[in-house]
């Protein structure tokens, strides 16, 4: 998949981008079809592409080093065949370096990713939605019961969600019309930014479910980079009692928890049937699950090895609430 995705990133013209995405579509379609077959009868929430684009390109420092090495080899090339080969490699690496440099961001986790990427390159997310619905129609014809739920990440303003959902829902309907298959589906969003939590009543007008991305919501609420902090000052903060626990391991009740509580309540004033859950490692941590139950969330999700712990913690939370 990576060469096709890199080709899409490197494209200078829309037609080149469309060709690269057309090559990616069959891979995505097969991925989703496999999920739908395994999850026969159950809802499948699919988060649209989220990471910054530069993550799909080689490291900039490595590229500069490789270019320097190629140029040294060029100076000592023994024959024209070797020179031609090295020159072609240099041109390719130089093109990659220029594109990686142009996509480089000072703070990529707050940059061009999530819904912003879908608005900036609409062909990318429409390709994913086409793959989702082509796969869904294909397995419905096999007798599988399919319930796709498309999750748009990193929304901060309702207008982003309205714009992106409009484009993607049109694509979904076009696929169903082509395949002559009707599928029940949902569109929702991830609440990962404080502004989204504060304006959840507006956002709920364009979403049928919320998923709280508590890793990013914790980062943006505390103003802490998770990767840097967990390897640095956060250890001292916990050892000296400045913080009672690692907020990336146990959900912060007083800060992040209040934002989730507010978002759930405000969202359900607009849409009383709004499903709300969390995704991230917090969804497998017992104290965090107990808080999610208190806040009225519909579900938690977590990595596979945490599922037994999550089920037990969810049962404890439900029993405790019932006996209170």
């Amino acid at each position: 998949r990576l060469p096709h995705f890199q080709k899409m990133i490197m494209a200078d013209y829309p037609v080149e981008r469309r060709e690269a995405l057309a090559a990616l579509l069959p891979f995505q379609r097969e991925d989703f079809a496999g999920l739908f077959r395994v999850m026969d009868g159950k809802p499948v929430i699919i988060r649209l592409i989220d990471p910054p684009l530069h993550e799909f390109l080689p490291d900039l420092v490595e590229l500069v080093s490789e270019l320097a090495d190629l140029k040294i080899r060029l100076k000592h090339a023994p024959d024209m065949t070797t020179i031609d080969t090295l020159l072609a490699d240099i041109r390719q690496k130089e093109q990659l370096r220029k594109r990686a440099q142009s996509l480089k961001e000072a703070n990529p986790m707050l940059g061009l990713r999530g819904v912003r990427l879908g608005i900036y390159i609409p062909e990318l997310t429409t390709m994913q939605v086409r793959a989702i619905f082509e796969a869904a129609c294909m397995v419905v014809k096999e007798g599988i019961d399919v319930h796709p739920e498309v999750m748009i990440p990193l929304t901060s303003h309702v207008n982003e969600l309205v714009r992106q959902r409009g484009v993607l829902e049109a694509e979904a309907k076009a696929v169903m019309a082509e395949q002559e298959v009707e599928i029940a589906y949902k569109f929702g969003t991830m609440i990962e930014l404080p502004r989204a939590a504060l304006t959840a009543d507006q956002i709920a007008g364009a979403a049928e479910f919320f998923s709280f991305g508590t890793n990013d919501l914790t980062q943006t609420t505390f103003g802490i980079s998770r990767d840097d902090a967990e390897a640095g000052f956060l250890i001292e903060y916990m050892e000296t009692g400045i913080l009672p626990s690692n907020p990336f391991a146990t959900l912060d009740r007083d800060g992040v928890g209040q934002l989730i509580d507010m978002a759930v309540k405000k969202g359900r004033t607009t849409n009383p049937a709004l499903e709300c859950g969390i995704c991230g490692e917090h969804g497998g941590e017992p104290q965090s699950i107990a808080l999610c139950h208190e806040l009225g969330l519909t579900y938690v999700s977590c990595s596979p090895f945490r599922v037994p712990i999550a089920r037990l913690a969810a049962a404890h939370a439900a029993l405790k609430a019932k006996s209170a």
Side-chain angles (χ1 to χ4, degrees):
R1 294 162 176 71
L2 188 58
H4 297 298
F5 202 86
Q6 286 181 341
K7 186 179 176 184
M8 186 279 296
I9 297 170
M10 298 297 295
D12 291 318
Y13 302 102
V15 65
E16 294 174 320
R17 182 180 290 162
R18 286 194 294 270
E19 284 173 2
L21 289 171
L24 267 173
L25 192 145
F27 292 110
Q28 290 266 275
R29 185 171 56 225
E30 283 306 308
D31 290 340
F32 299 137
L35 284 171
F36 293 141
R37 290 185 186 108
V38 170
M39 296 291 282
D40 187 5
K42 296 180 174 65
V44 178
I45 299 176
I46 298 168
R47 176 171 66 172
L48 298 179
I49 191 163
D50 191 20
L53 282 181
H54 80 274
E55 289 190 7
F56 297 96
L57 293 175
D59 180 76
L60 193 55
V61 175
E62 287 179 14
L63 279 171
V64 171
S65 175
E66 288 169 9
L67 271 168
D69 181 58
L70 285 169
K71 287 173 183 177
I72 290 168
R73 288 168 59 195
L74 182 64
K75 284 183 180 179
H76 303 285
D79 52 59
M80 283 306 298
T81 302
T82 306
I83 289 172
D84 289 342
T85 301
L86 287 169
L87 284 171
D89 288 345
I90 287 169
R91 281 193 294 270
Q92 183 188 27
K93 294 284 184 189
E94 187 60 35
Q95 188 184 13
L96 270 173
R97 186 200 64 77
K98 286 179 180 177
R99 186 51 58 98
Q101 184 68 51
S102 71
L103 292 172
K104 188 175 182 293
E105 296 176 300
N107 194 341
M109 295 312 288
L110 296 178
L112 183 61
R113 53 176 284 232
V115 67
R116 302 161 194 164
L117 185 57
I119 291 170
Y120 185 69
I121 308 177
E123 303 99 323
L124 178 55
T125 43
T126 52
M127 178 276 290
Q128 285 196 294
V129 166
R130 171 162 285 274
I132 290 167
F133 281 85
E134 284 185 358
C137 291
M138 181 169 69
V139 298
V140 161
K141 292 173 182 177
E142 297 171 8
I144 303 292
D145 185 15
V146 179
H147 301 276
E149 300 186 8
V150 180
M151 185 159 70
I152 299 168
L154 211 74
T155 297
S156 62
H157 195 290
V158 64
N159 289 348
E160 291 176 311
L161 186 59
V162 169
R163 170 80 66 87
Q164 182 72 161
R165 177 172 177 169
V167 171
L168 299 181
E169 197 160 20
E171 188 71 12
K173 289 178 178 176
V175 173
M176 290 188 287
E178 290 165 14
Q179 300 293 323
E180 299 182 337
V181 175
E182 279 296 319
I183 294 165
Y185 62 88
K186 291 180 181 178
F187 274 90
T189 191
M190 293 188 77
I191 306 293
E192 303 167 84
L193 301 171
R195 192 187 190 283
L198 292 167
T199 59
D201 51 339
Q202 299 172 26
I203 291 173
E208 289 153 300
F209 65 92
F210 285 170
S211 181
F212 292 92
T214 52
N215 294 339
D216 273 336
L217 188 56
T218 298
Q219 286 196 108
T220 52
T221 301
F222 275 89
I224 290 175
S225 166
R226 179 183 184 181
D227 293 338
D228 295 332
E230 285 191 322
F233 71 88
L234 205 53
I235 296 167
E236 185 176 339
Y237 266 43
M238 290 184 287
E239 286 175 349
T240 57
I242 293 174
L243 288 176
S245 59
N246 180 351
F248 296 105
T250 302
L251 203 52
D252 166 47
R253 175 181 288 269
D254 296 334
V256 179
Q258 282 201 63
L259 285 171
I260 294 173
D261 187 33
M262 180 191 305
V264 170
K265 287 173 179 172
K266 292 186 81 167
R268 286 177 177 161
T269 60
T270 301
N271 178 2
L274 187 73
E275 291 180 6
C276 296
I278 69 166
C279 54
E281 291 306 299
H282 290 114
E285 196 276 323
Q287 290 183 54
S288 303
I289 290 170
L291 178 58
C292 291
H293 188 78
E294 285 178 39
L295 299 179
L297 268 59
T298 318
Y299 67 89
V300 298
S301 65
C302 59
S303 51
F305 73 93
R306 288 188 176 225
V307 168
I309 298 168
R311 282 180 167 160
L312 189 61
H316 283 165
L319 288 169
K320 185 178 178 182
K322 189 174 283 189
S323 61

